[in-house]
Amino acid sequence: NSERRIRKTFALTGRESAPADISETDLLEKAASAVANRNRVIGIGSPRASLEANFALRELVGADRFFAGLSASDDALLNLGRKILTDGPARSASLRDAMFADAVFVLGEDVTQTAPMLALTLRQMRYQKAVKTAERVNLPHWDDAGIREFAQQEKPALFIATTAPTKLDDAALSIFHAAPDDLVRLGAAVRAMLDPAAPDVPGLSDASRKMADEIARALKQAKRPMIITGTACGSAPMIRAAANIAWTLCSKGKPAQFSFCVPECNSMGLSLMNAKNLQSAFDAINKNSADTVIVLENDLFRRADRADADAFLNKARHVIVMDHIATATTERADMVFPAATFAESSGTLVNNDGRAQRFYAVFPPAGPIRESRGWISEIMSAAGPYRRQARSFLDDIAAYPEIVIASLWE
């Protein structure tokens, strides 16, 4: 219902002209003409678009001309988290794993903002601890009122270290607020206390050392320890510090689990596609390797400096955008296709722990609005017989070894 919702197809007759309504057929013909020379077209994907839509765009432009639509820093953080999950000994944690964890350390991530379902699950740790207390006094599981009485007196071994207060702090046993670099040092200190062979952290404050000791003791005693971090602080050292704690626990025989929180609904899915970052797309246009760009549900001005995004869009001969809401990027596009929202479309996302997660349309889109992959399919068909028809793309996705979603958690 937003006033910025894009509900019609429109195009510009010139860069200085106002956008004008255009029929679907005419816009598709115009787009097909712009992408006729495939070698001059690049595609920019999005972490908020479905896996199918991103893959469809990659099929349209070619794998070597498909770019992730992420800044270099964001792309590096996501790749680091993915590498930790795929190569490290710690298992990727699910929501159910979080519910039954008996010690959790959250380092640098406000999960109430980036993973609300995980935050809710961590709140339920108190109830799970109360269930165990009730078992010791022979209180049956069905006595919910009695168990909740115990829950009021129990606090789980939940430790939160963040840059600012969070809405989950009241559920934690201990909290710690500090600058990102100090949080990294706290994480390193926890690891050092878990493993005497690890490097010591000199110059820690008394508060930091006390917190680190408390966390380390709880993780040592836990049967199912869990470490949570993410990209919120934009710090690769913090992600490594959290991973080192989980890996150290694994080396000590603890079945540690690692949860990596990502900023958008399909950040992990886009990362699994191994595409180059947004700066590489800028370079392709600036070096005249391409002259046409297709932007999929992404606002480039949120990913890059305004001057860089302006220069990129000015340099491109054609800018084709598919989105459901008006942005600074749609305002600069030659052709705009109205895309369906998540509630009007079906597709697949890859969640925090690397599992494919389907979503389904709850009502049909109105007017000319279609799923992004549907528009891409139409452009493929209109561009000529050498373009194969786009379908659901699920079979094609499964055929690519670099997009093996289950590899993160098996």
Side-chain angles (χ1 to χ4, degrees):
N1 297 324
S2 172
E3 294 179 355
R4 296 165 55 207
R5 181 70 197 271
I6 301 172
R7 302 183 186 278
K8 297 179 180 179
T9 51
F10 61 88
L12 302 181
T13 56
R15 283 298 172 91
E16 302 301 322
S17 64
D21 293 350
I22 184 174
S23 70
E24 298 172 48
T25 302
D26 290 344
L27 187 60
L28 285 168
E29 289 180 358
K30 187 178 176 70
S33 176
V35 303
N37 184 357
R38 189 187 193 194
N39 293 327
R40 301 289 293 167
V41 184
I42 63 172
I44 297 178
S46 171
R48 60 180 171 91
S50 70
L51 202 59
E52 291 89 345
N54 279 294
F55 193 86
L57 180 58
R58 189 171 100 160
E59 287 293 286
L60 173 61
V61 300
D64 59 334
R65 292 179 295 277
F66 174 78
F67 301 89
L70 297 168
S71 67
S73 57
D74 288 346
D75 188 51
L77 292 174
L78 286 171
N79 287 334
L80 174 61
R82 176 168 57 89
K83 184 175 176 59
I84 289 168
L85 290 171
T86 53
D87 297 348
R91 182 175 179 270
S92 180
S94 67
L95 289 178
R96 182 174 177 81
D97 293 329
M99 181 179 296
F100 292 101
D102 49 0
V104 176
F105 178 31
V106 182
L107 181 61
E109 192 74 13
D110 182 357
V111 292
T112 63
Q113 302 300 312
T114 58
M117 287 299 294
L118 177 59
L120 177 61
T121 302
L122 294 178
R123 280 197 175 276
Q124 294 171 339
M125 285 178 65
R126 174 181 289 205
Y127 185 83
Q128 294 302 323
K129 186 175 182 181
V131 168
K132 294 177 182 178
T133 304
E135 288 175 351
R136 292 198 293 268
V137 296
N138 298 320
L139 190 67
H141 286 185
W142 52 260
D143 191 350
D144 183 70
I147 291 174
R148 290 190 183 278
E149 283 294 325
F150 279 112
Q152 293 180 15
Q153 306 165 23
E154 300 280 355
K155 272 205 170 183
L158 172 60
F159 303 92
I160 299 177
T162 52
T163 57
T166 76
K167 294 179 181 178
L168 192 61
D169 286 357
D170 63 296
L173 184 62
S174 294
I175 58 175
F176 185 82
H177 300 142
D181 288 347
D182 292 327
L183 296 181
V184 174
R185 287 166 55 79
L186 174 67
V190 171
R191 182 199 179 193
M193 291 176 181
L194 291 171
D195 183 5
D200 193 21
V201 183
L204 276 180
S205 66
D206 291 341
S208 296
R209 190 167 295 279
K210 180 180 178 182
M211 181 73 170
D213 180 65
E214 186 179 6
I215 295 169
R217 282 190 286 106
L219 293 174
K220 283 180 181 178
Q221 297 169 5
K223 294 180 179 179
R224 292 183 297 274
M226 181 175 172
I227 311 300
I228 300 172
T229 191
T231 64
C233 286
S235 170
M238 188 177 302
I239 296 171
R240 293 192 187 97
N244 285 336
I245 296 171
W247 291 359
T248 299
L249 288 167
C250 289
S251 71
K252 301 296 182 182
K254 295 284 186 181
Q257 297 173 100
F258 186 79
S259 180
F260 181 67
C261 299
V262 295
E264 294 174 81
C265 60
N266 201 30
S267 294
M268 189 64 72
L270 189 61
S271 176
L272 284 167
M273 295 183 74
N274 288 325
K276 290 174 284 189
N277 61 47
L278 188 58
Q279 185 58 51
S280 299
F282 288 0
D283 292 342
I285 292 291
N286 292 333
K287 294 177 180 178
N288 292 318
S289 299
D291 58 14
T292 298
V293 57
I294 303 174
V295 182
L296 173 67
E297 299 183 36
N298 207 336
D299 183 7
L300 305 187
F301 291 89
R302 293 189 59 191
R303 314 287 181 182
D305 291 339
R306 175 166 288 275
D308 292 340
D310 273 329
F312 170 72
L313 296 173
N314 286 335
K315 180 83 172 178
R317 182 182 178 188
H318 298 294
V319 178
I320 303 169
V321 178
M322 299 167 191
D323 213 333
H324 61 268
I325 198 163
T327 66
T329 303
T330 61
E331 292 174 0
R332 302 290 301 279
D334 299 54
M335 294 164 260
V336 177
F337 291 86
T341 65
F342 72 94
E344 299 164 334
S345 58
S346 300
T348 308
L349 307 173
V350 181
N351 62 20
N352 285 357
D353 46 306
R355 289 171 171 83
Q357 184 172 317
R358 291 283 291 165
F359 63 94
Y360 300 94
V362 294
F363 57 87
I369 298 172
R370 300 183 197 174
E371 297 180 14
S372 293
R373 65 183 180 189
W375 286 121
I376 294 171
S377 176
E378 293 288 346
I379 294 172
M380 282 183 173
S381 298
Y386 63 93
R387 307 284 199 198
R388 68 174 181 79
Q389 180 69 25
R391 301 176 303 279
S392 70
F393 291 98
L394 280 176
D395 292 339
D396 303 302
I397 291 169
Y400 277 72
E402 69 268 32
I403 311 178
V404 181
I405 299 164
S407 64
L408 294 184
W409 57 277
E410 286 184 341

